[in-house]
Amino acid sequence: YLTHMGHYVIMSHNNRKENMQNETFHITYFARKHKKFITRKGQYNKPDGTEGKSFVSKNGNPCLVYWDLDADGWRMATGEAKIRI
């Protein structure tokens, strides 16, 4: 669902998957590895067409596997995240 100021939460991606596949976006979420909030430029699919995915983990956390355009690799955002298109 759309929240204020054009942000989306991860759970909304299942509904928007068809529209997001080739759109670039900025995603912000808490990265446990870095122990802080990070923002990355990404897209749902890898440029070669390999699909990203969104799902709910066995612990009930929303997850989004997306292609990080800056690092040229897959990343997974877990928990609440905000996306700007």
Side-chain angles (χ1 to χ4, degrees):
Y1 63 90
L2 182 64
T3 62
H4 63 87
M5 295 175 38
H7 291 91
Y8 290 83
V9 295
I10 284 178
M11 295 305 290
S12 67
H13 293 176
N14 287 330
N15 298 333
R16 298 191 69 247
K17 180 179 172 184
E18 301 79 26
N19 298 329
M20 287 185 58
Q21 290 179 351
N22 296 313
E23 285 185 56
T24 60
F25 54 80
H26 287 87
I27 182 168
T28 302
Y29 59 95
F30 186 81
R32 289 180 299 207
K33 176 181 175 180
H34 302 289
K35 297 181 180 159
K36 64 180 181 177
F37 283 91
I38 61 171
T39 299
R40 299 287 187 254
K41 183 177 180 183
Q43 64 186 40
Y44 187 76
N45 288 343
K46 184 176 176 179
D48 71 3
T50 306
E51 290 190 7
K53 60 183 171 179
S54 58
F55 60 95
V56 177
S57 73
K58 63 183 177 183
N59 296 330
N61 292 316
C63 301
L64 175 66
V65 178
Y66 68 96
W67 186 255
D68 184 327
L69 292 167
D70 296 322
D72 201 31
W74 291 110
R75 299 290 182 266
M76 183 167 74
T78 304
E80 184 177 332
K82 299 205 177 191
I83 292 186
R84 281 185 300 117
I85 296 177

